[in-house]
Amino acid sequence: MNRRSLAIAILVVLLLAIPLVVTSTYHMRIVNLALVFGLLAVSLNIVLGYTGQVALGHSGFFGIGAYTAALITEGGSGLLFWPGFLAAGIVTGIAGLAIGIPALRLRGHYLALATLGFGEIMRHVFFNWREVTRGMDGISGIPAPSIGIVELQGEGSYFYLALAILALAVLFCWRLQASKYGRMLAAIRDAELAAGTSGVNVARLKIAAFFISAVLAGFSGSLYAHLIRFISPDAFTFFEVTAPVLSMVIIGGVGTLIGPVLGAVVLTFLPELLRVSDAYYQLIYGAGLAAMVIFLPMGLLGALHGRLFGLFRPRAPASPASAGPPPEESAEAPDMVRAAALLSPKGGIGTGAVFEARGLTCRFGGLVAIDALDLQIQAGTVHALIGPNGSGKSTFINLATGIYQPTQGSIRFLGQEVAGARPWKVAAAGLARTFQNLRLFRSMTVRGNVLVAAVADRPAGWFETLLSLARSRAEEADLHARTEQALRLLGLWHLRDQLIRTLPHEQQRLVEIARAVAMRPRLLMLDEPAAGMNPVEVERLVTAIGRLRELGITILLIEHNVPLVMRLADRVTVLNFGRKIAEGEPDAVREEPEVVTAYLGQRLSDRLRQNNAA
Amino acid sequence: MLLELTAVRAAYADDVEVLHGIDLAVGEGELVTLIGANGAGKTTTLRTIMGLAAIKGGAVRFRGQDTAGLSTPDIARLGISLVPEGRGVCPGLTVFENLRIAATPWIRFGQSIRPDLERVYDLFPVLAERRDQLGWSLSGGQQQMLAIGRALVARPGLMLLDEPSLGLAPNLVEEVFETLKRINAEGVAVLLVEQNAFMALEVSQRGYVIERGAVSLESDAATLMNDERVKAAYLGG
């Protein structure tokens, strides 16, 4: 038994002994409240920490759960606790779906305000819907829970029930975080656009996060009702519930597994410790909160990191070797046979035009970014798209990958209309891209970034994944194998455990390409991959693009490094003010007078001609 | 010397030392280029001069004054202005407002900003046409011009530029380097960080090669351009 499991065993024993040690009913009640709020904090953390959505309506969910449980069990036997508990989860879950849908459109402050409004609305419903909620009179006569014939009458026996439910919730979160869904949620949190174009169904996952969070909040509401045995609307306000629970999550550690529980314990007990000074206790409490946020910016869990026998250390290394210099790259070339086996485009290379835009137009207000553009990309080629800054090149990629909606025109990819489709649908169809101004998942390692986008042959569902069944484990192994090949292909394997932010710019660009390649795309759109690279780095990029071609990936290349374009491209299209001004073989295009004046400039044009002659 | 760095060591917030003893100097009216691989410490050097990265050892002197302990605005007031990588144009301000904020160090003394604006609009006529347009709506090239113009309005003795050609169309890259030559000819010293080392050295008088956080080579621009090692590593043959 290693130190970590020993420490966990000791912790479990200590937890189980709490009711034997704490003899005062009053103090035991506070312990139990900490467990109830711990569960609510865990629930908020799923939306706030894992998914990065600021939601301020948890008092509403908590109240719906409490009222549902109270109405079902009121005046009845303690055995009704269980149906009431389940109903609380279900009803609140439905409310969570209702909130999750607007959350798809709203972001940041707007989502915060909308959810805040939801909490307020629910408070008024509890208060004014007297026929059901009894208004200010509240609901009393809520029984203590029973298990079989055992009634959990005292605070001590209730403790074991609440602890067990909280432990199950934490276990669930642990599985969720460690699964592919946990990675996808973190990807949404770090870079929502890139998550979508990497094939993550952003809409479905956000709704799922709100649903799961709401179900857990409903459970905690039910536990609350059966602990206090009386509920009234003033227990479910922003200041009674949402604000403290938000503080618990932030002080405990946003996005961590048990930080929120720790925060709940600390914040529930802090007022008790401060009771010594009745007059100033609110003041000290407030100042204490502010001090914790200032001095423990990573939360309590961050402060405990690495102490207490590693009990609070995340199992996966969070930042291995990030302090030291990156390990040297091994000179060995990737095994192209293995790479081809795992990374060849899904559905084959294809023939003819894989991509065709017709009459594509995109206007932003009065500005015409793309003007009646026709563009065909032939399978297996490198097709370059060049033109002055602001000529519509990036807009074109955004239109093709579902980020912008075209004003007019059609985009057919592999015979399928994709204009206006959601980014993850386009990604799933086999169209991948990189971003000009890097959009990587910054909290993750290099490997984690690529894993998000990797596509397995036999994906596992929610149930199999959360229970880690054979199929899910096989999928993970598959994803890891493909990720390894994608990283080796780009010469990044030695950096796999580095955090993204510790890498220089050039390597971050290559990670973007590796992430796209792991999707096994038929067509890959590269937006200025060589920007900020020196000639040596550009050579590495040329090698990498050569390997992508070898795999059979068709490439659209946007690039200002014209000599690079001339070397790589089979065909070049030149845009100016959103219109095509030239198209053809590279050598022919660079001689067009309009291209020289609008884009190349005389000097570069002369130099290219000299190079060609030499 | 206008600017002098002696054995400067610097680190970012996470205490990872990036510069391990940089020695370099820029004279009055000089145009000097720093070249080196990504991650070698070029940007950090500029940020250290500007007081944006913590100095762990050595000294940065501008016109003989040690900048240790000075804040970034103080350093800007001494006469150094930075054109950051990615341009750093304020997206919600108009072209005029972007230029106007750079006058902050001196405008309260009642001096007119008009000659400064005229100088910028003369260098970049397109900015005059778009003086009331918001920063975000400019193309990449116009934003780069605005960033350079803004640095000029601060009336610098030394201008630091970080990758001014990044993401620009070739004809604009040419224009930017021509403009730098003009600005330099008007008496502003320039320290330039640039991946496009060939074009940068062509307009420079001297250059430094930075490798792994230290200067590995220092010479006049023509010598660097003919150095076999520099050619192979940074000029692309």
Side-chain angles (χ1 to χ4, degrees):
Chain A
M1 202 190 257
N2 62 24
R3 276 157 63 108
R4 187 188 162 95
S5 20
L6 187 69
I8 290 179
I10 293 174
L11 184 76
V12 169
V13 170
L14 286 178
L15 279 175
L16 292 177
I18 287 176
L20 308 177
V21 182
V22 181
T23 46
S24 137
T25 314
Y26 174 73
H27 283 131
M28 217 36 230
R29 163 64 58 93
I30 294 165
V31 171
N32 285 334
L33 267 178
L35 294 180
V36 170
F37 278 101
L39 182 57
L40 190 59
V42 165
S43 133
L44 177 61
N45 192 34
I46 291 174
V47 177
L48 187 75
Y50 299 2
T51 325
Q53 310 294 310
V54 183
L56 299 178
H58 270 57
S59 62
F61 294 142
F62 189 59
I64 293 174
Y67 271 97
T68 307
L71 289 169
I72 288 177
T73 60
E74 182 191 5
S77 125
L79 281 171
L80 284 173
F81 168 77
W82 295 103
F85 183 75
L86 288 180
I90 292 166
V91 173
T92 317
I94 292 167
L97 289 180
I99 281 291
I101 290 163
L104 297 180
R105 300 185 157 272
L106 302 176
R107 227 160 269 159
H109 332 305
Y110 299 100
L111 177 61
L113 275 181
T115 49
L116 188 69
F118 166 75
E120 267 312 279
I121 289 170
M122 287 322 299
R123 186 173 70 87
H124 283 277
V125 170
F126 302 144
F127 192 82
N128 290 319
W129 195 15
R130 295 225 174 90
E131 300 78 7
V132 176
T133 65
R134 315 293 136 72
M136 258 333 261
D137 298 339
I139 301 175
S140 53
I142 304 167
S146 296
I147 300 177
I149 50 160
V150 186
E151 196 182 342
L152 306 180
Q153 190 56 255
E155 297 286 343
S157 44
Y158 178 96
F159 169 83
Y160 292 109
L161 174 73
L163 184 66
I165 291 170
L166 178 59
L168 283 175
V170 170
L171 205 62
F172 173 86
C173 286
W174 174 61
R175 284 299 319 149
L176 180 67
Q177 259 192 329
S179 73
K180 62 172 177 178
Y181 298 114
R183 283 197 299 266
M184 291 178 186
L185 291 178
I188 293 174
R189 177 188 64 200
D190 288 354
E192 193 175 321
L193 269 186
T197 59
S198 300
V200 175
N201 189 326
V202 175
R204 196 196 294 165
L205 271 159
K206 272 194 190 173
I207 289 190
F210 271 94
F211 175 74
I212 294 169
S213 175
V215 169
L216 292 184
F219 287 159
S220 74
S222 155
L223 281 178
Y224 176 82
H226 288 277
L227 175 64
I228 309 293
R229 318 266 294 267
F230 166 77
I231 56 171
S232 66
D234 47 9
F236 307 104
T237 64
F238 178 81
F239 290 104
E240 286 293 321
V241 179
T242 308
V245 170
L246 190 66
S247 316
M248 288 167 192
V249 175
I250 290 171
I251 283 171
V254 182
T256 59
L257 186 61
I258 54 165
V261 177
L262 216 58
V265 171
V266 170
L267 287 203
T268 316
F269 275 93
L270 204 56
E272 300 310 316
L273 295 177
L274 297 175
R275 289 250 185 265
V276 285
S277 167
D278 253 353
Y280 295 104
Y281 122 81
Q282 289 285 6
L283 197 72
I284 301 173
Y285 179 70
L289 281 191
M292 276 202 241
V293 175
I294 292 168
F295 296 111
L296 305 174
M298 305 283 289
L300 284 171
L301 209 62
L304 289 175
H305 186 92
R307 285 172 214 163
L308 299 181
F309 311 109
L311 199 56
F312 298 105
R313 196 179 305 144
R315 181 151 314 172
S319 55
S322 67
E328 291 298 320
E329 183 180 3
S330 69
E332 87 190 84
D335 174 354
M336 286 307 287
V337 178
R338 197 162 158 66
L342 289 170
L343 296 174
S344 287
K346 233 181 156 185
I349 298 165
T351 49
V354 286
F355 180 96
E356 186 176 15
R358 270 213 202 151
L360 191 65
T361 301
C362 179
R363 284 190 207 102
F364 299 108
L367 179 83
V368 184
I370 293 282
D371 193 359
L373 179 69
D374 295 326
L375 186 77
Q376 270 198 359
I377 303 171
Q378 302 295 326
T381 61
V382 172
H383 191 125
L385 186 61
I386 60 177
N389 298 99
S391 61
K393 304 181 301 293
S394 292
T395 305
F396 173 76
I397 292 194
N398 285 336
L399 287 168
T401 54
I403 297 203
Y404 293 160
Q405 309 267 330
T407 316
Q408 256 165 23
S410 87
I411 305 173
R412 293 185 79 76
F413 175 59
L414 300 168
Q416 186 188 343
E417 180 65 44
V418 295
R422 310 303 291 268
W424 49 91
K425 298 264 190 231
V426 181
L431 207 174
R433 68 169 292 175
T434 63
F435 289 88
Q436 183 186 333
N437 32 13
L438 303 169
R439 290 179 192 271
L440 289 162
F441 310 130
R442 301 189 68 79
S443 68
M444 294 185 220
T445 60
V446 168
R447 190 194 334 229
N449 268 268
V450 179
L451 271 173
V452 168
V455 177
D457 273 334
R458 289 162 44 86
W462 277 92
F463 188 69
E464 292 155 318
T465 303
L466 291 175
L467 291 180
S468 192
L469 299 183
R471 178 156 180 174
S472 156
R473 290 200 304 273
E475 186 197 18
E476 276 295 300
D478 187 6
L479 294 178
H480 273 87
R482 291 180 204 276
T483 297
E484 176 179 341
Q485 285 311 311
L487 289 173
R488 286 189 187 279
L489 200 67
L490 275 298
L492 295 167
W493 180 240
H494 62 298
L495 298 172
R496 58 192 175 274
D497 291 326
Q498 297 277 123
L499 281 178
I500 284 299
R501 61 181 168 80
T502 65
L503 297 184
H505 200 79
E506 175 219 359
Q507 280 163 341
Q508 295 195 20
R509 288 210 175 272
L510 294 180
V511 176
E512 280 232 346
I513 300 178
R515 180 173 72 184
V517 170
M519 292 160 63
R520 295 192 275 159
R522 305 275 291 264
L523 171 60
L524 171 57
M525 298 187 165
L526 300 171
D527 198 349
E528 293 196 30
M533 289 190 179
N534 68 29
V536 177
E537 294 160 348
V538 168
E539 285 312 309
R540 284 203 283 262
L541 178 69
V542 169
T543 312
I545 292 180
R547 286 173 189 159
L548 304 189
R549 278 191 97 153
E550 219 176 302
L551 289 179
I553 302 173
T554 307
I555 292 171
L556 178 88
L557 175 69
I558 291 185
E559 188 46 66
H560 283 310
N561 185 332
V562 178
L564 175 70
V565 167
M566 294 292 149
R567 273 171 73 189
L568 287 176
D570 300 299
R571 204 168 168 78
V572 179
T573 301
V574 189
L575 293 187
N576 195 18
F577 296 113
R579 279 194 316 270
K580 193 197 281 185
I581 58 167
E583 186 170 78
E585 309 260 313
D587 287 337
V589 164
R590 72 175 161 80
E591 295 295 339
E592 301 251 353
E594 200 179 350
V595 176
V596 174
T597 43
Y599 181 62
L600 291 176
Q602 199 53 53
R603 220 181 98 118
L604 179 64
S605 175
D606 293 345
R607 224 176 83 206
L608 289 172
R609 199 173 299 121
Q610 278 168 19
N611 286 356
N612 223 35
Chain B
M1 278 290 153
L2 184 68
L3 175 80
E4 216 166 354
L5 274 68
T6 35
V8 168
R9 291 187 298 114
Y12 277 141
D14 43 6
D15 253 19
V16 182
E17 193 175 288
V18 189
L19 304 183
H20 312 298
I22 293 265
D23 291 289
L24 68 82
V26 181
E28 287 285 352
E30 245 191 331
L31 204 165
V32 177
T33 291
L34 298 185
I35 57 180
N38 269 308
K42 304 184 302 291
T43 296
T44 310
T45 304
L46 298 191
R47 291 178 60 91
T48 307
I49 296 170
M50 244 11 250
L52 292 163
I55 299 183
K56 295 277 170 178
V60 177
R61 284 199 184 77
F62 183 69
R63 291 183 174 138
Q65 181 179 351
D66 193 335
T67 65
L70 293 186
S71 69
T72 302
D74 288 335
I75 293 171
R77 275 193 189 94
L78 290 181
I80 308 182
S81 53
L82 170 71
V83 180
E85 182 179 340
R87 297 137 200 172
V89 163
C90 301
L93 298 185
T94 64
V95 167
F96 167 73
E97 287 163 340
N98 264 287
L99 294 172
R100 168 68 183 72
I101 48 173
T104 313
W106 50 263
I107 200 152
R108 62 194 152 133
F109 302 113
Q111 302 175 39
S112 167
I113 193 178
R114 184 160 300 159
D116 299 81
L117 288 178
E118 266 164 22
R119 180 181 179 197
V120 172
Y121 292 154
D122 180 46
L123 275 174
F124 307 111
V126 66
L127 293 184
E129 286 164 32
R130 294 176 189 251
R131 53 173 285 148
D132 295 322
Q133 215 169 304
L134 291 177
W136 65 266
S137 69
L138 302 178
S139 75
Q142 292 159 355
Q143 287 191 9
Q144 189 62 57
M145 294 174 198
L146 178 55
I148 295 174
R150 186 175 58 187
L152 271 182
V153 170
R155 299 183 178 171
L158 171 68
M159 195 190 264
L160 313 174
L161 292 109
D162 197 356
E163 306 271 358
S165 79
L166 188 69
L168 295 191
N171 52 347
L172 283 181
V173 173
E174 231 176 274
E175 212 181 306
V176 163
F177 282 108
E178 286 306 315
T179 311
L180 285 185
K181 256 162 75 180
R182 251 181 88 183
I183 292 171
N184 181 240
E186 288 171 15
V188 180
V190 174
L191 180 59
L192 178 62
V193 162
E194 186 51 64
Q195 287 302 348
N196 202 332
F198 183 78
M199 293 191 78
L201 286 174
E202 262 190 338
V203 300
S204 303
Q205 284 120 41
R206 286 191 307 120
Y208 291 87
V209 179
I210 295 193
E211 282 175 51
R212 299 203 176 104
V215 171
S216 63
L217 200 56
E218 171 197 353
S219 186
D220 60 285
T223 314
L224 280 182
M225 281 167 85
N226 290 315
D227 184 295
E228 288 306 322
R229 252 187 67 225
V230 173
K231 264 191 190 164
Y234 305 110
L235 301 179

